[in-house]
Each structure stands twice: as structure tokens, then as C-alpha cells.
Amino acid sequence: MGKKNKRRDEDAEPKLIVKNGNSDDSPNAKKKHKKNKNKNRNELPTVSIAVAASIIDNVPTLELATRLAGQIARAATIFRINEVVVFDNKSILEQDSMVDKSADESSADFFIRVLKYLETPQYLRKALFPMHNNLRFVGLLPPLDAPHHLRKHEWGPYREGVTLKERDSNNGATLVDVGLAKHVLVDQILEPGRRVTVAMGTNRNLDSDLPRQVVSSSKPREEGMYWGYQVRYAHNISSVFKDCAYKGGYDYIIGTSEHGQIIKSSDLEIPSFRHLLIAFGGLAGLEESIEEDENLKGKNAGEAFSIYLNTCPHQGSRTIRTEEAILISLQYFQEPISRTLQN
């Protein structure tokens, strides 16, 4: 990839506490273990999707490829997905892509660039994304309209912002552009060009010298808000699993395929989870991705996942496109996931 996009400040979800191997049976150790166990229970669960980058290779033009990536971004936002993992599908022979070769960008890079661009609030895009030829059609896409994409006249408890080179003339504090009529002061000295989440509080006076607080991007989620998705790259399907950004990894992994089990959504039972992953294959499906992965040699597709499902049985078309499968499947999983989270 060319220039890397600036990342939001500490944008990973809070790390989970993992029980260590210490066999200390002292009262203090037991009390500490109980405290950690309770903290684990309070961790917010996450839902991730993994999508093969090879779906971009089957699109004849850059405009259509951009629209395809936009459909995935819309689906992820509508269904409150916390993470999108783009993985390379090594089963697909390399072929010419519509992505501009002069930009030195693979299909996966292009896919990730568009996903990140769309997740970013509109008022931050100019500062965080340099002009790039592969973004020239993003203006045609419908906005995600996510809760953190606040408009200029809207006030919310949190806003995404970008730190500025300019400092406050009175005390040298960091100024942050949060998409309002005036920049706001924050309580930290930060380098410019950094994406941050700012707690706005209830004081709407932008002329106030009182600094606002920079918080973790997970803070809005802790208060029940959906705050966009993170994007990660994996070079193959096995690295989707083993390079999980969450401490402890994914504890339940679902594969989707026309060759999977057929279970009614109302009958599907998903066990309690901290980090759920739902995987979608590319042009040749997850079967080919697994077969071509050296780390999964000898395994069939069903063995690589906690459960392997056909979420659209009795299909009328011989093929279901990945962007269609994602919408169908995320709707299919809505009820089972809700039941698990309520319990």
C-alpha cells in the first residue's frame, strides 16, 4: 500500500483478562481470580466478519469495485459489526485487477482503503486521507450515517476528531477538529494528525477554556452506542484466526457456505461468546481458501470452524454473491446473537 492512513487513537477494543497458570491457592490469589472472572463477564462482546479480498478481482471497473466495497461497509454498519477482516484468498490465481497499478495497491489494499474511508466521519476525511486515485468514486456511495458521523449542528456525548498542528494561544494545549464551528481544547498534548475520540460533556460553549477529555474509542460502546468498525488485513484464512486483535482470540467462529449445515435461524443456538467471527469466502468459497492454506492442510472446511452453516438454503440462483451472502447471513444471525447476548 502507498501512504498509510492515520489510525484512530488506541483504536483496539479493551483487552480481555486471561487467567494465568499460577497455581497459588492463597486467599489473595483467589480474590484476585474472582475479581478477574467478574471483569471478564463485564467485557463487551464483539462481532467480526471476515471477507475474502478476491471478490474485488471479479469486478470489471473501479467504479463497480468501489460500489461493492461500499455495500460491505453499509452491511457492517447496519448490523453493528465491530471488526471487518479482509483476507487474501490464495486459491484464486492472480489476475489483472481494475485497481490502478500506478497506485501500487493490491485488491486487498484497495478494499481496506475504501472500508476505512467510509467508516471515517466525513469532516475528518480530508485530514486523514490524502488524495488517491482509487478513491475517486467514493463520492457516489451512500453514506454510512453511523452514530459517530455527527453533523455540524448535532451535539453528542462523544465526537471523533483529529488533532491539529495549531496550539491554543493561551496555554499551548492541543486543539482538535471535531467537526463543529470551532475547534476544541483537549486535556492531553498530542502530535498532530491523530484520530481521537473526545468526550464532549454537556457544556456546549465552544468558547470555554475548559479542556475536553480524550477517551478510548471503546468508551462510547461501553455506554451502549455503536461506534463503527475496525479494519484488519490477514494474508490467508488461518491468519484471520491466529492474528486476532482481541486478547484471547475468537472464541466462536462460524463459516458460511452452500455446503454447510441447514439450521433454521430460530433453532440455532450460539454459545456465550466474547468475540464472535463470521467468515465469508470469495469466488471459490471458503473450501478453496482452506484447501490452499498451508496451515490448514488436511482439514476440511467444517473442521476449521466451530460451526459451518448454509444461511440461504433452497436458493433460486446457482450462485449467491458475497455481498448478498453477507446481508442474508447477518440478518439470519440477528436473532440467535440477540438471544445469546440477552442470556
Side-chain angles (χ1 to χ4, degrees):
M1 210 173 337
K3 295 182 180 178
K4 293 183 179 178
N5 301 329
K6 303 279 198 324
R7 297 176 59 193
R8 71 170 65 181
D9 182 46
E10 300 299 327
D11 56 8
E13 297 290 341
K15 300 298 184 184
L16 291 168
I17 295 181
V18 178
K19 184 172 69 174
N20 60 35
N22 195 333
S23 60
D24 186 357
D25 291 327
S26 67
N28 286 340
K30 288 179 179 178
K31 188 183 291 185
K32 185 176 180 181
H33 171 63
K34 187 174 181 181
K35 183 179 179 182
N36 287 350
K37 193 172 180 182
N38 289 337
K39 188 169 181 180
N40 270 344
R41 279 200 199 104
N42 295 331
E43 292 290 351
L44 290 172
T46 65
V47 179
S48 302
I49 61 172
V51 187
S54 62
I55 65 172
I56 299 295
D57 294 325
N58 199 38
V59 186
T61 68
L62 178 60
E63 179 181 342
L64 290 176
T66 304
R67 290 184 184 276
L68 172 57
Q71 286 180 274
I72 308 297
R74 282 281 300 171
T77 304
I78 289 167
F79 290 101
R80 301 170 68 94
I81 296 302
N82 304 111
E83 178 193 40
V84 181
V85 186
V86 175
F87 67 94
D88 269 325
N89 187 348
K90 299 302 182 183
S91 67
I92 302 301
L93 295 175
E94 288 188 12
Q95 49 188 294
D96 288 338
S97 170
M98 82 303 302
V99 178
D100 186 358
K101 299 298 182 183
S102 66
D104 191 28
E105 193 163 61
S106 68
S107 294
D109 292 335
F110 165 79
F111 197 179
I112 288 170
R113 181 184 295 278
V114 176
L115 288 173
K116 286 184 174 182
Y117 181 90
L118 292 175
E119 188 279 333
T120 303
Q122 293 91 326
Y123 57 86
L124 297 182
R125 290 172 182 170
K126 188 175 180 181
L128 295 176
F129 289 85
M131 288 187 66
H132 195 284
N133 192 45
N134 285 336
L135 291 176
R136 67 181 185 271
F137 290 113
V138 291
L140 301 175
L141 301 178
L144 299 190
D145 210 15
H148 62 303
H149 289 202
L150 293 165
R151 293 161 179 80
K152 196 168 188 176
H153 64 276
E154 294 177 319
W155 189 272
Y158 301 96
R159 288 186 79 102
E160 291 295 286
V162 62
T163 55
L164 303 173
K165 185 180 291 186
E166 172 191 357
R167 300 282 180 174
D168 180 66
S169 56
N170 295 324
N171 54 22
T174 299
L175 289 171
V176 178
D177 179 1
V178 292
L180 294 173
K182 293 190 69 174
H183 303 323
V184 299
L185 291 172
V186 295
D187 58 355
Q188 297 178 29
I189 302 297
L190 300 169
E191 70 271 17
R194 190 173 181 177
R195 179 172 167 177
V196 293
T197 303
V198 180
M200 299 300 294
T202 56
N203 181 9
R204 301 193 179 198
N205 180 12
L206 296 178
D207 293 320
S208 170
D209 289 333
L210 291 175
R212 318 275 173 170
Q213 185 181 8
V214 173
V215 298
S216 166
S217 62
S218 64
K219 187 69 175 173
R221 282 196 70 230
E222 293 167 13
E223 298 183 11
M225 291 183 253
Y226 177 65
W227 210 247
Y229 53 78
Q230 306 297 319
V231 185
R232 176 169 71 86
Y233 170 75
H235 63 272
N236 56 25
I237 188 70
S238 62
S239 67
V240 171
F241 310 147
K242 70 181 181 182
D243 296 334
C244 176
Y246 303 112
K247 192 171 182 181
Y250 305 111
D251 45 3
Y252 200 69
I253 303 174
I254 300 173
T256 60
S257 169
E258 62 179 324
H259 304 297
Q261 299 178 58
I262 298 175
I263 303 174
K264 288 183 180 178
S265 176
S266 56
D267 294 334
L268 179 64
E269 293 186 7
I270 296 177
S272 177
F273 63 86
R274 295 172 303 172
H275 304 298
L276 171 68
L277 173 70
I278 305 168
F280 299 90
L283 305 180
L286 287 172
E287 292 84 5
E288 282 277 330
S289 299
I290 290 165
E291 186 180 327
E292 295 298 320
D293 193 318
E294 291 293 329
N295 297 313
L296 297 174
K297 281 292 184 186
K299 283 193 175 184
N300 62 48
E303 293 173 330
F305 302 95
S306 307
I307 191 169
Y308 202 51
L309 294 172
N310 179 353
T311 59
C312 187
H314 316 302
Q315 62 197 57
S317 173
R318 282 178 291 181
T319 57
I320 295 179
R321 299 174 64 86
T322 301
E323 63 272 25
E324 297 165 343
I326 289 173
L327 281 169
I328 293 166
S329 299
L330 293 183
Q331 177 58 43
Y332 168 91
F333 289 119
Q334 279 284 90
E335 185 186 340
I337 290 174
S338 295
R339 284 199 306 268
T340 299
L341 295 180
Q342 286 170 4
N343 293 334

